[in-house]
Amino acid sequence: MKRAGTDSSTPIDAIEREGNLPSLTGLRAFILAAQYKSFSRAAEELNITQSGVSRAVRSIEEITGTPLFERTGHGLVLTESGAAYFEEVSTLLSELGAATLRLATYKSAHESLNIATLPSLGSRWLAPRLIRFLKQNPTIDISVTGRIGHFEFEGSNIDAAIHYGSEAWPGSLSELIMDEVLVPMCAPSLIRKGVVPNARLLFELTLIQHTHRPTAWREWFKDVGIDHPQPNQGPRFEQYQMGIEAAISGLGAILMPPFMVIDELTSGRLVLLHSVPVPTPWRYYLVYPKGKRSKPGVQKFRTFLRAEAKRTAEQTLQLMR
């Protein structure tokens, strides 16, 4: 049911309401008549009468108010506007046929899918989950490449990328996969026996820094209302993976999106020092070129990512309780 003041109709609905959408039969009759320069030849091809073809073409002319053919001593000839229409409609029908063929082979088509992702996200989150994607899509050969930052899709073999930051990516489509929240954590060996893990322990612990997020700790302390004297001090690591290993070894506390370390938190190799996740302005997006939007593998990967993001959100909520 539509709410008052809203319009949930599609572009096709609008076209049909305005009477601007010819039937497929009419379009086929027009295309064949233009190709053969003959209503009778088109009628034979369609297995209808010549008058049927004439009526079909006339219906398009009535919708548009524009003549498509004129008769000359040499037979049927397209008008200038008819020739332009023929070129456009021929292309559209060809694309429609190709899309229908792709749909018919959607489940069984064997194809390659090349994905780019941040190295840490790829190793910590995506790779362990790909087994579900491959079980669901055994005919897809997937390749995952580590990439940092924006790059040009054009000239590469990349079909889609999991991008971190803002959704802007020139010439591409983007879809939000996950928000990002940060929580501090450390190895349990750093917490004295009998002490309940809490954020005040961060005054005693080394703060593991991320090279590309130099102000993360300072911003986190500000958001939770803690005045730490040296939030930017501590060893720096360029990749999350290296920082995680350092934290597990007992080097200090690390500020992380919990979905990156679900296994470590579940197993107890890392423990949370604060139970309230602090959101960041950054998000994770699936981006892909506009020309790849109808590629079956891209759409299947898109569906898979949405499901995994939902699963991850549920797991994160359980960990934070």
Side-chain angles (χ1 to χ4, degrees), residues 131-150:
I131 186 171
R132 282 192 283 269
F133 177 77
L134 295 175
K135 283 183 176 179
Q136 296 164 7
N137 304 282
T139 60
I140 293 180
D141 294 326
I142 192 167
S143 174
V144 181
T145 302
R147 293 284 185 93
I148 297 175
H150 282 71

Side-chain angles (χ1 to χ4, degrees), residues 61-73:
E61 292 176 328
E62 290 173 351
I63 289 172
T64 62
T66 304
L68 299 173
F69 293 99
E70 60 183 22
R71 293 188 180 276
T72 69

Side-chain angles (χ1 to χ4, degrees), residues 11-273:
I12 293 294
D13 294 330
I15 292 172
E16 288 179 338
R17 282 200 305 268
E18 295 170 8
N20 292 334
L21 189 64
S23 68
L24 282 176
T25 300
L27 291 174
R28 289 193 65 204
F30 165 68
I31 291 293
L32 290 171
Q35 288 176 337
Y36 293 131
K37 296 181 174 59
S38 167
F39 283 170
S40 60
R41 287 285 306 278
E44 291 175 11
E45 183 82 14
L46 293 170
N47 197 27
I48 61 176
T49 64
Q50 181 176 337
S51 61
V53 172
S54 179
R55 284 195 301 273
V57 171
R58 189 163 59 249
S59 69
I60 301 175
E61 292 176 328
E62 290 173 351
I63 289 172
T64 62
T66 304
L68 299 173
F69 293 99
E70 60 183 22
R71 293 188 180 276
T72 69
H74 300 288
L76 202 62
V77 177
L78 283 167
T79 62
E80 182 178 353
S81 54
Y85 187 59
F86 171 74
E87 183 176 346
E88 289 190 71
V89 170
S90 297
T91 300
L92 291 173
L93 289 181
S94 177
E95 291 178 355
L96 178 60
T100 303
L101 180 60
R102 286 194 296 270
L103 179 61
T105 59
Y106 188 84
K107 291 185 177 179
S108 59
H110 196 282
E111 65 173 313
S112 62
L113 181 65
N114 298 305
I115 301 297
T117 182
L118 294 168
S120 293
L121 182 71
S123 62
R124 302 293 308 180
W125 184 79
L126 180 61
R129 290 164 173 78
L130 278 181
I131 186 171
R132 282 192 283 269
F133 177 77
L134 295 175
K135 283 183 176 179
Q136 296 164 7
N137 304 282
T139 60
I140 293 180
D141 294 326
I142 192 167
S143 174
V144 181
T145 302
R147 293 284 185 93
I148 297 175
H150 282 71
F151 59 88
E152 292 293 333
F153 280 113
E154 187 176 353
S156 78
N157 66 342
I158 300 299
D159 296 306
I162 303 176
H163 166 59
Y164 170 72
S166 64
E167 63 180 317
W169 193 301
S172 301
L173 300 173
S174 64
E175 179 172 340
L176 175 65
I177 299 300
M178 291 186 292
D179 292 315
E180 183 186 71
V181 297
L182 296 177
V183 289
M185 57 195 74
C186 70
S189 60
L190 295 180
I191 302 175
R192 295 187 303 275
K193 187 176 181 180
V195 175
V196 177
N198 66 88
R200 306 303 298 183
L201 294 174
L202 293 169
F203 286 98
E204 307 169 11
L205 299 176
T206 297
L207 303 182
I208 298 173
Q209 308 284 336
H210 192 297
T211 302
H212 299 295
R213 304 282 294 277
T215 62
W217 274 112
R218 185 181 66 197
E219 292 166 357
W220 185 86
F221 281 121
K222 180 179 179 181
D223 286 340
V224 298
I226 295 177
D227 185 16
H228 193 287
Q230 294 181 314
N232 298 327
Q233 295 297 312
R236 301 182 181 278
F237 294 91
E238 185 177 18
Q239 298 294 331
Y240 271 144
Q241 180 65 41
M242 294 185 284
I244 292 168
E245 293 301 325
I248 292 173
S249 73
L251 179 62
I254 190 169
L255 194 60
M256 285 291 302
F259 74 82
M260 285 272 203
V261 285
I262 285 177
D263 289 344
E264 287 76 9
L265 291 172
T266 301
S267 65
R269 283 181 291 167
L270 290 173
V271 294
L272 296 176
L273 296 174

